[in-house]
Amino acid sequence: MQVILADYLGFCYGVKRAIKIARENASPDGDANTLGPIIHNPQMVERLKSEGVGTVDHVEDMEQGTIIVRSHGVGPEIYEHAEKRGLRLVDATCPHVRKAQLSAKELHDDGYRVVIVGEKEHPEVQSIYEWSGREAFTIESEAEAEQVEHCAKLGIVSQTTFSGEHFERIVGRLLSKSRDIRILRTICTATDQRQAAAQALARQVDLMLVVGGKNSANTTRLAQLCAQYCKTYHIETAAELQDEWFANIEKIGITAGASTPDWIIKEVYKKCQQKK
Ligand code: SF4
């Protein structure tokens, strides 16, 4: 049995940066917290907690200390709330997400009707929405694109982790909605690279294991893409591997979302090798 790792997998630049910033601001007194889990990976969240970086759900949950904005970013109001409460805000928003937020703001300020192509419930999309003056439409399917009304000026931005192909298809449906359309393709290369590498690998193996948080949008998307080509399982850790998955399998491919720590990928890789 051959076990092959995707050419690009695991932590992206923005996640590595956010974790480094969080660690630099850890506090043994428990007064350093990220606003929401630092990444969509419960194992990493637990590890950081043991190192002195906890998690709060709202700015109001803190009376003092340091609040760390994660790579997904937040809306402008959060910066104001934190300042009013006297909290020290450390901003670990990924620069690519920041670019998407500022693109939405710029389009809105220039009088464009903003459409965000992305998952409505995703925190990053919500942060982009906040920067759009809270007036953007968020759509994630071609059917929803058809519902967008005609307007004088239409500006399009994307969730950074959205599938490039899917984005192009949705944009295709929006082209007839206005005579003045600006498209700001704010998908980051980390996502494109991981998706392309995962699909290339899925085409040549019998089984794909996609490693990462079940609550991670980009990991879930990788699993959906791989499932088009071969049997695919989305797992969070090596403990979920089932012996029966490996029956009559010659080649196994492994990929992992941008929020999956290296140590978890290594454990899955090692365990697969032991199935030989
Ligand atoms: S996937 Fe891209 S945009 Fe998102 S955190 Fe990573 S580098 Fe930043």
Side-chain angles (χ1 to χ4, degrees), residues 119-131:
E119 295 143 282
K120 294 181 186 70
E121 302 304 322
H122 195 281
E124 178 202 309
V125 172
Q126 288 167 354
S127 83
I128 298 170
Y129 172 80
E130 295 287 328
W131 283 92

Side-chain angles (χ1 to χ4, degrees), residues 262-275:
D262 284 355
W263 89 81
I264 295 181
I265 302 170
K266 278 184 192 149
E267 273 173 19
V268 172
Y269 182 76
K270 264 196 210 157
K271 213 163 170 185
C272 286
Q273 285 195 314
Q274 288 161 7
K275 303 278 178 202

Side-chain angles (χ1 to χ4, degrees), residues 59-60 62 67 75-87 89 134:
V59 175
E60 291 71 24
M62 286 184 70
I67 190 150
E77 277 186 4
I78 296 292
Y79 296 84
E80 290 160 24
H81 281 332
E83 192 179 350
K84 273 190 200 143
R85 291 184 79 78
L87 302 175
L89 186 142
R134 294 187 163 183

Side-chain angles (χ1 to χ4, degrees), residues 246-268:
F246 299 89
N248 305 316
I249 296 292
E250 285 180 11
K251 278 190 188 173
I252 304 169
I254 298 176
T255 187
S259 51
T260 309
D262 284 355
W263 89 81
I264 295 181
I265 302 170
K266 278 184 192 149
E267 273 173 19
V268 172

Side-chain angles (χ1 to χ4, degrees), residues 66-227:
T66 302
I67 190 150
I68 302 162
V69 173
R70 56 192 177 169
S71 57
H72 295 319
V74 292
E77 277 186 4
I78 296 292
Y79 296 84
E80 290 160 24
H81 281 332
E83 192 179 350
K84 273 190 200 143
R85 291 184 79 78
L87 302 175
R88 187 172 79 96
L89 186 142
V90 173
D91 194 352
T93 303
C94 173
H96 297 295
V97 175
R98 188 78 189 130
K99 187 173 165 217
Q101 293 173 337
L102 295 180
S103 297
K105 180 178 186 317
E106 182 191 318
L107 288 169
H108 174 255
D109 292 349
D110 289 349
Y112 284 82
R113 192 83 173 101
V114 180
V115 170
I116 305 167
V117 179
E119 295 143 282
K120 294 181 186 70
E121 302 304 322
H122 195 281
E124 178 202 309
V125 172
Q126 288 167 354
S127 83
I128 298 170
Y129 172 80
E130 295 287 328
W131 283 92
S132 77
R134 294 187 163 183
E135 286 182 4
F137 290 118
T138 301
I139 59 171
E140 54 186 303
S141 68
E142 290 170 76
E144 284 176 319
E146 294 294 352
Q147 307 294 319
V148 173
E149 289 180 6
H150 289 257
C151 57
K153 296 169 84 171
L154 185 69
I156 306 169
V157 295
S158 57
Q159 179 179 357
T160 59
T161 49
F162 208 73
S163 148
E165 282 172 32
H166 196 190
F167 178 75
E168 307 302 345
R169 284 200 302 272
I170 289 174
V171 167
R173 299 291 182 109
L174 291 171
L175 290 178
S176 62
K177 301 291 181 181
S178 175
R179 296 176 66 151
D180 180 355
I181 297 187
R182 282 191 67 196
I183 303 165
L184 300 178
R185 193 182 188 278
T186 46
I187 294 176
C188 92
T189 50
T191 305
D192 279 349
Q193 282 170 339
R194 276 155 189 72
Q195 290 179 354
Q199 288 181 91
L201 184 55
R203 283 192 188 99
Q204 46 165 305
V205 298
D206 310 305
L207 168 70
M208 275 300 287
L209 297 172
V210 182
V211 190
K214 296 272 164 62
N215 56 349
S216 157
N218 77 86
T219 309
T220 304
R221 185 69 196 141
L222 284 177
Q224 287 166 350
L225 291 171
C226 293

Side-chain angles (χ1 to χ4, degrees), residues 17-34 48 51-54 65-69 88-92:
R17 179 177 171 274
I19 289 170
K20 181 169 176 281
I21 291 173
R23 282 189 163 131
E24 285 166 356
N25 288 279
S27 161
D29 306 330
D31 61 1
N33 291 289
T34 59
L48 273 185
E51 294 176 19
V53 184
T66 302
I67 190 150
I68 302 162
V69 173
R88 187 172 79 96
L89 186 142
V90 173
D91 194 352

